[in-house]
Amino acid sequence: MPLPIAHGLLGASVAAALRPSSQSPAWKPVLIGALLAISPDADYILNWMRISSGGWHHGFTHSIPFALVIGLSMIVVSRDWRMRSFLLFTAAYVSHTLLDFTFTESRGVALWWPFTNYRYKLRLPNPIDYTWSDASLFEMSVDILKICLAELLIFAPILLIVMYIRRAATKAHKMA
Ligand SMILES: [Zn+2]
């Protein structure tokens, strides 16, 4: 179960890849992409509030149709009607779903809610070990910190590479 660091960095990478080069400041769509990619895990709140019988996590907020609704809502709220912006918002959000789908150890992700509640998972071997000790608060904090660091080491370079390629492409475009 990737943590917000992995999700945020992946969403930022998707937004950095898809953002229109004319748009400035460039950090704005990247930040929005990161926030969108973190947001599906807000379904934890529904579990904590013990709404219904729980079991909300990896449910409707992780579905692809729901991501399309989020993308649509974002262009309405931002009054930015470009197809590219719709794609950016939707893809940043859906990056979360796909990352969870790929690595989750849970019973799976409700990819096609509301059409089916079936939970899907690919469950590839995860490069990061997400188990942490609960022997003491200190040991748990150290373990979680290590996981955060591992996510940073894997996902930050992806964002940097995408940003580098975008910058190089924009420069080449200006020179042509
Ligand atoms: Zn999730």
Side-chain angles (χ1 to χ4, degrees), residues 2 7 37-38 40-44 57-58 61-62 96-97 100 109:
H7 284 304
I38 292 170
D41 279 344
D43 60 3
Y44 271 121
H57 186 51
H58 284 160
T61 60
H62 286 63
H96 181 116
T97 300
D100 279 358
V109 180

Side-chain angles (χ1 to χ4, degrees), residues 58-73:
H58 284 160
F60 76 95
T61 60
H62 286 63
S63 93
I64 292 171
F66 190 76
L68 293 169
V69 172
I70 292 287
L72 209 60
S73 313

Side-chain angles (χ1 to χ4, degrees), residues 137-164:
L137 190 64
F138 178 74
E139 279 182 39
M140 191 168 90
S141 309
V142 169
D143 281 352
I144 292 177
L145 215 64
K146 276 187 198 160
I147 294 171
C148 291
L149 193 66
E151 289 196 336
L152 200 67
L153 286 174
I154 293 175
F155 288 94
I158 297 176
L159 176 60
L160 291 176
I161 290 167
V162 172
M163 284 168 74
Y164 177 78

Side-chain angles (χ1 to χ4, degrees), residues 9-145:
L9 285 168
L10 188 62
S13 306
V14 168
L18 292 177
R19 73 174 178 83
S21 46
S22 59
Q23 198 170 9
S24 65
W27 59 265
K28 211 172 146 188
V30 174
L31 180 69
I32 293 173
L35 293 175
L36 279 171
I38 292 170
S39 62
D41 279 344
D43 60 3
Y44 271 121
I45 297 168
L46 298 172
N47 276 358
W48 283 330
M49 286 163 56
R50 297 186 187 279
I51 292 178
S52 185
S53 53
W56 293 94
H57 186 51
H58 284 160
F60 76 95
T61 60
H62 286 63
S63 93
I64 292 171
F66 190 76
L68 293 169
V69 172
I70 292 287
L72 209 60
S73 313
M74 287 297 293
I75 58 167
V76 171
V77 170
S78 61
R79 293 167 188 256
D80 176 354
W81 306 107
R82 283 172 296 187
M83 187 61 190
R84 189 167 183 158
S85 301
F86 170 70
L87 281 178
L88 186 155
F89 296 138
T90 307
Y93 190 93
V94 109
S95 71
H96 181 116
T97 300
L98 296 181
L99 192 61
D100 279 358
F101 164 70
T102 308
F103 293 117
T104 189
E105 281 143 30
S106 78
R107 63 199 169 106
V109 180
L111 277 188
W112 299 109
W113 180 92
F115 305 108
T116 167
N117 258 330
Y118 186 81
R119 303 289 182 108
Y120 298 84
K121 60 178 166 184
L122 199 58
R123 223 189 148 171
L124 289 187
N126 200 322
I128 300 175
D129 177 13
Y130 280 95
T131 49
W132 57 71
S133 157
D134 51 8
S136 70
L137 190 64
F138 178 74
E139 279 182 39
M140 191 168 90
S141 309
V142 169
D143 281 352
I144 292 177
L145 215 64

